[in-house]
Amino acid sequence: MKDLKIDSKVGLSNGVEMPIFGLGTFQSRSGKETRDAVAGALRVGYRHIDTASMYGNEEDVGAAIKESGVPREEIFVTTKLWNSDHGYDSALAAFERSRRRLDLSYVDLYLIHWPVEDVRNESWRALETLLEEGKCRAVGVSNYMTRHLEELLEKSSTVPAVNQVEFSPYLYQRDLLEFCRRSNIQLESYSPLTKGRKLDDPKLIALASKYSKSAAQVLIRWALQHRIVVIPKSSRRERIVENAGVFDFVISPEDMKALDLFDQDLRTSWDPSTAP
Ligand code: NDP
């Protein structure tokens, strides 16, 4: 476990390697805030940035990458298809708009942001086309529950490389994690810090103090030790550094089990569990 580093990678089902740790950018404002956050993260050693068309900051993510001087191929960039852009032709066009805003020749991972009923499988065909054409290195989904994945796997021979869902000790979706593992789908955790809501939980703080770490660092490390890709968001320089300080300690197996029991079905984002 100590072997994990800031740029450690997991192998996706199609052979592409994805850094297990990255920067989230939801609610990072467009302009200087996002540019500084991405630039700062790249300086600290982050090599994976998560954005989405809906976040309105793809241009800034792309500009910060370009200005960083870090070779493009060393950075893993994810963006997402927004709900109003579903459908085969619309998804292709939306991808192209995202790619241009990012000003990149390819995107590393393109995700369906949400399993929009009736049209999601048409959109998936578009993602297959983008993959075949080499415009993205991997394609996947987000907010897919097991039944959405089952439907997709039944209809398509392209396994989504990744499923990005809300995941933390407070929302330990063990069945979904196991389903993804069995199906060769890499699980990725969003809102790993519960959007900050549980960072003052005394149980969590007590556990973190044993390791002389912050509550946020323990939540991130918990995901890493479960071999889940994790993308904590911050636009503050000191927190971007803090959140990357998770590669010099190991949570014991007993404490991992204790954290697993923190589950209280807490969702801090939208809830796909009832999405048809
Ligand atoms: P996180 O759980 O990452 O929490 C982010 C919040 O915590 C921000 O308010 C941030 O504030 C604060 N914070 C960050 N670091 C610390 C720290 N060390 N100590 C105290 N507070 C801290 O929430 P997100 O919802 O942003 O999830 C992470 C990423 O996942 C998103 O940014 C996005 O890229 C992705 N995502 C995807 C979704 C999807 O539907 N696919 C849905 C939601 C998120 P500040 O910035 O001021 O530091």
Side-chain angles (χ1 to χ4, degrees):
M1 285 295 178
K2 264 227 150 135
D3 52 323
L4 277 175
K5 299 193 301 267
I6 193 167
D7 60 349
S8 288
K9 298 178 179 71
V10 292
L12 303 180
S13 56
N14 69 347
V16 165
E17 298 214 299
M18 175 179 195
I20 194 165
F21 175 78
L23 178 76
T25 64
F26 177 45
Q27 292 172 327
S28 244
R29 276 182 295 217
S30 64
K32 186 169 161 40
E33 182 169 310
T34 297
R35 286 183 192 218
D36 286 354
V38 173
L42 292 172
R43 268 198 303 276
V44 174
Y46 288 62
R47 287 295 177 267
H48 167 187
I49 313 290
D50 183 85
T51 182
S53 146
M54 192 273 263
Y55 303 167
N57 57 21
E58 287 169 313
E59 268 179 32
D60 306 296
V61 168
I65 287 173
K66 201 152 281 166
E67 281 158 23
S68 72
V70 179
R72 163 69 184 100
E73 61 279 8
E74 286 181 20
I75 305 175
F76 192 97
V77 181
T78 300
T79 192
K80 313 186 191 88
L81 174 75
W82 184 236
N83 298 353
S84 51
D85 293 325
H86 272 260
Y88 184 81
D89 291 330
S90 312
L92 290 179
F95 173 83
E96 188 54 21
R97 288 196 298 275
S98 280
R99 192 191 65 72
R100 286 187 186 193
R101 282 191 294 263
L102 285 160
D103 196 18
L104 298 175
S105 60
Y106 65 89
V107 166
D108 293 278
L109 176 64
Y110 195 46
L111 300 177
I112 291 184
H113 209 141
W114 180 267
V116 180
E117 197 183 3
D118 298 330
V119 283
R120 57 188 176 237
N121 296 318
E122 273 304 290
S123 303
W124 185 249
R125 282 207 307 117
L127 268 62
E128 288 178 307
T129 300
L130 293 168
L131 186 64
E132 276 162 30
E133 291 176 347
K135 291 183 173 157
C136 11
R137 295 173 68 227
V139 291
V141 294
S142 177
N143 294 299
Y144 273 48
M145 299 291 97
T146 301
R147 66 179 173 287
H148 305 122
L149 292 171
E150 280 170 343
E151 176 197 278
L152 180 58
L153 294 173
E154 197 189 292
K155 291 205 161 42
S156 165
S157 57
T158 310
V159 177
V162 169
N163 184 22
Q164 183 186 105
V165 294
E166 182 162 1
F167 210 92
S168 75
Y170 298 91
L171 180 63
Y172 182 29
Q173 305 187 69
R174 190 193 290 255
D175 291 346
L176 179 62
L177 176 62
E178 280 168 9
F179 181 86
C180 287
R181 291 227 163 102
R182 281 199 304 278
S183 311
N184 222 351
I185 300 169
Q186 174 64 49
L187 198 115
E188 177 175 12
S189 153
Y190 75 64
S191 307
L193 308 178
T194 65
K195 286 197 159 71
R197 278 172 48 184
K198 287 287 172 184
L199 295 179
D200 56 359
D201 177 358
K203 280 192 314 218
L204 177 61
I205 290 174
L207 199 145
S209 67
K210 272 175 56 177
Y211 295 91
S212 303
K213 286 288 175 182
S214 69
Q217 288 170 326
V218 163
L219 294 181
I220 296 165
R221 183 74 203 184
W222 175 85
L224 293 171
Q225 289 187 208
H226 272 300
R227 287 291 188 262
I228 293 171
V229 174
V230 62
I231 45 169
K233 177 263 173 184
S234 180
S235 31
R236 297 198 205 180
R237 189 155 28 135
E238 68 281 7
R239 288 179 175 171
I240 289 172
V241 171
E242 175 188 332
N243 294 345
V246 293
F247 299 99
D248 57 356
F249 79 113
V250 178
I251 303 174
S252 72
E254 299 73 41
D255 286 336
M256 284 295 288
K257 281 199 191 112
L259 285 161
D260 291 350
L261 295 174
F262 282 20
D263 183 32
Q264 48 183 240
D265 210 22
L266 174 76
R267 290 185 191 273
T268 63
S269 254
W270 40 358
D271 179 2
S273 65
T274 53

